[in-house]
């Protein structure tokens, strides 16, 4: 089945993104769709919703990371997980957003759990959730797993929907490695070059992955995880996220649909085209 036939039959690839407030979810979606614009939002009937109705306020905060400094912003307001978010730069994707469960406690978790159950059993493939991206920020206030993350992976039955954990703001971990290198007499230039790999190695032996994959009561551990640093930068690379998402899709039709939506990773498209 060719790309045009796939898109005509199944319309769009559907992703549920979950994460705490200020986990960088919107930034990730913008990077995937290669845009700085906010998404257009539609209700369950396909009617476009005025974003002003949903966004009650805009908050801006500063982030300091060793030698770097940047600003982040996020919007919060009335929210419905059933709303569909579509970016004009890549309408092949439709996103659903679940607020972090700390925002609404048991109520928010129950809504997400019910939504996943409904959308995993829809008869029409294009109405189902095809993958879940669960965002966990690695900035200083968010490195430890909260009760929300533990609750999701121990109590939420995601069925056949693959879950990928996105460790966002991973560059926040560079600060400790940078300070240690400097204290050991490494030049600032060399330290900047070394910290990304050192942070990955330290993280691989850290508590987060042990909790994610080895906790006894994890009913549905994720298929995989990915570390995403520097998503605030204009040249941020979401290629690894796109590739890992394609890899975890078991259904060949879904894999083809996902790859056919790509406008940012031509190498991936070519590789799968050759395989098929």
């Amino acid at each position: 089945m060719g790309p045009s036939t796939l898109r005509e039959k199944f319309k769009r690839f559907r992703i549920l993104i979950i994460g705490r407030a200020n986990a960088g979810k919107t930034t990730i979606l913008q990077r995937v769709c290669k845009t700085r614009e906010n998404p257009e939002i539609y209700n369950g009937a396909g009617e476009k919703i005025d974003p002003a109705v949903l966004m009650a306020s805009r908050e801006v905060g500063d982030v300091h990371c060793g030698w770097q400094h940047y600003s982040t912003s996020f919007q919060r307001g009335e929210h419905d997980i059933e709303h569909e978010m579509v970016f004009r730069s890549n309408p092949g994707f439709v996103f659903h957003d679940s607020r972090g469960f700390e925002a609404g406690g048991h109520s928010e978790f129950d809504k997400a759990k019910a939504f996943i159950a409904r959308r995993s059993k829809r008869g029409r493939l294009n109405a189902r959730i095809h993958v879940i991206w669960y965002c966990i920020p690695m900035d200083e206030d968010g490195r430890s797993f909260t009760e929300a993350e533990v609750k999701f992976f121990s109590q939420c039955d995601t069925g056949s929907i693959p879950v990928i954990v996105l460790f966002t703001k991973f560059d926040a971990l560079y600060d400790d490695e940078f300070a240690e290198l400097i204290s050991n007499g490494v030049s600032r230039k060399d330290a900047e070059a070394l910290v990304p790999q050192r942070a990955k190695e330290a993280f691989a032996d850290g508590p987060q992955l042990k909790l994610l994959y080895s906790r006894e009561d994890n009913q549905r551990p994720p298929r995989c995880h990915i570390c995403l640093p520097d998503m605030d930068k204009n040249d941020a690379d979401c290629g690894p996220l796109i590739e890992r998402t394609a890899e975890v899709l078991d259904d060949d039709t879904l894999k083809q649909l996902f790859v056919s939506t790509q406008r940012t990773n031509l190498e991936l498209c070519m590789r799968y085209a050759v395989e098929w």
Side-chain angles (χ1 to χ4, degrees), residues 31 34 229-239:
R31 291 293 176 269
K34 286 290 185 182
D230 300 321
M231 287 293 107
D232 61 295
K233 295 183 178 179
N234 289 329
D235 60 349
D237 180 18
C238 276

Side-chain angles (χ1 to χ4, degrees), residues 23-72:
K25 293 182 293 181
T26 300
T27 300
I28 296 296
L29 301 185
Q30 289 172 328
R31 291 293 176 269
V32 167
C33 294
K34 286 290 185 182
T35 183
R36 285 282 187 177
E37 295 181 355
N38 287 323
E40 296 178 338
I41 303 174
Y42 299 85
N43 62 21
E47 300 166 335
K48 191 173 180 180
I49 301 172
D50 183 355
V53 175
L54 302 175
M55 305 303 182
S57 64
R58 182 175 182 88
E59 301 179 29
V60 180
D62 292 326
V63 176
H64 298 270
C65 183
W67 64 97
Q68 295 178 331
H69 171 271
Y70 53 88
S71 295
T72 61

Side-chain angles (χ1 to χ4, degrees), residues 15-32 85 95-102 131-139 141-146 148-150 152-153 162-170 203 208 212 222 224-228 231 238 241 245:
I15 297 174
L16 170 62
I17 188 164
I18 302 175
R20 313 170 198 171
N22 208 23
K25 293 182 293 181
T26 300
T27 300
I28 296 296
L29 301 185
Q30 289 172 328
R31 291 293 176 269
V32 167
M85 301 188 300
F95 300 102
H96 294 267
D97 178 22
S98 173
R99 292 189 303 179
F101 307 135
E102 79 282 357
V131 72
I132 297 172
W133 288 344
Y134 198 117
C135 298
I136 302 176
M138 287 292 104
D139 52 0
D141 294 332
R143 295 178 189 177
S144 299
F145 279 17
T146 65
E149 280 96 40
V150 173
F152 178 84
F153 290 106
V163 180
I164 302 176
V165 169
L166 281 53
F167 289 106
T168 62
K169 303 186 179 182
F170 192 76
F203 183 74
Q208 289 89 354
L212 198 59
C224 66
H225 69 276
I226 188 165
C227 302
L228 295 176
M231 287 293 107
C238 276
L241 172 58
T245 301

Side-chain angles (χ1 to χ4, degrees), residues 70-105:
Y70 53 88
S71 295
T72 61
S73 62
F74 60 97
Q75 295 175 318
R76 303 183 66 182
E78 293 299 319
H79 180 82
D80 187 338
I81 194 173
E82 292 284 354
H83 288 159
E84 299 181 347
M85 301 188 300
V86 179
F87 290 89
R88 285 183 293 180
S89 61
N90 194 339
F93 284 118
V94 58
F95 300 102
H96 294 267
D97 178 22
S98 173
R99 292 189 303 179
F101 307 135
E102 79 282 357

